[in-house]
Amino acid sequence: MSDGTPADLFFDAAIGLLQRVRDEEAEAIAAAGALLADTVAAGGRLFAFGAGHSSLAAQDVVYRAGGLALMNLLAVPGVVGVDVTPATLGSALERVDGLAGAVLDTSPVRPGDALVIISLSGRNALPVEMALGARARGLKVIGVTSVAYAAETSSRHASGTFLKDHCDIVLDSKIAVGDAELTLDTIPAPFAPASTVVTTALLQAVMATTAAALADRGIEPPLLRSGNVDGGHEWNGRVMAQYGDRIFYRR
């Protein structure tokens, strides 16, 4: 590790990744925003899924001040966060065959909807089967992953494929295999993961693109406001009443 405090070096690494994503994924971000805008305009619903720490980016676009009210979390019990005990159970469930199909079968998804699937490695059975199953059910799939994993690791799905292989649009987070940006001679393992920072920024860029794309078509984007500003609750109530049949986190 070169000169500079660990905090400085982490910020430098994160900023570098954000710059790469901004420059190298601009076309994919625009395409993803257009796909979500198409879905909203056509009366479809929006869903986001992530397992483990990848779920943090999915949760960040659901019921979010400044975000699209129509984005719903497609939750898989036991893999949404570290609140499950033991925490390692979530990692084990990501490798279970058939779990994604059971979740999709009991979810409100239908043809014409869009699903954002977030998986840093994209190698486990759950995200691969989620993408396969969603497309088979007539959904459009946006995958957010690190494409490097497909070149440097092996798939844990029977097909030998990765999430990136089953998406309509792929957003590459550019995160290196292992998700640790720093090394230090006195610390035996690499440390300081940046995947949450980068993936969350990627998705918020897509959400911003979607809102602008809807506005360009003369459609007011169904955005939420903060409940901590005057009038926020009233605004959100109107949006949720207008789009209640496409919002599932209130039920």
Side-chain angles (χ1 to χ4, degrees), residues 43-140:
R45 293 88 58 81
L46 310 179
F47 296 87
F49 163 76
H53 285 91
S54 291
S55 71
L56 296 175
Q59 293 177 59
D60 191 58
V61 295
V62 176
Y63 188 48
R64 188 72 164 84
L68 294 172
L70 304 191
M71 186 61 73
N72 300 278
L73 186 67
L74 185 63
V76 178
V79 306
V80 175
V82 295
D83 55 335
V84 63
T85 303
T88 51
L89 175 60
S91 298
L93 289 174
E94 288 187 65
R95 305 180 190 183
V96 174
D97 294 333
L99 181 56
V103 170
L104 289 168
D105 284 343
T106 55
S107 76
V109 301
R110 66 187 184 192
D113 292 345
L115 172 61
V116 178
I117 301 177
I118 304 136
S119 174
L120 177 61
S121 73
R123 68 188 297 223
N124 288 310
L126 185 55
V128 173
E129 290 184 357
M130 190 69 76
L132 280 165
R135 294 180 89 187
R137 289 164 174 79
L139 280 73
K140 295 292 186 180

Side-chain angles (χ1 to χ4, degrees), residues 46 59-72 203-211 214 220-226 235-236 239-240 243 247 249:
L46 310 179
Q59 293 177 59
D60 191 58
V61 295
V62 176
Y63 188 48
R64 188 72 164 84
L68 294 172
L70 304 191
M71 186 61 73
N72 300 278
L203 282 181
Q204 291 298 349
V206 171
M207 297 299 109
T209 303
T210 303
L214 287 169
E220 181 181 336
L223 296 170
L224 295 173
R225 291 189 173 185
S226 171
W235 171 281
N236 293 342
V239 171
M240 290 183 182
Y243 291 95
I247 296 173
Y249 51 79

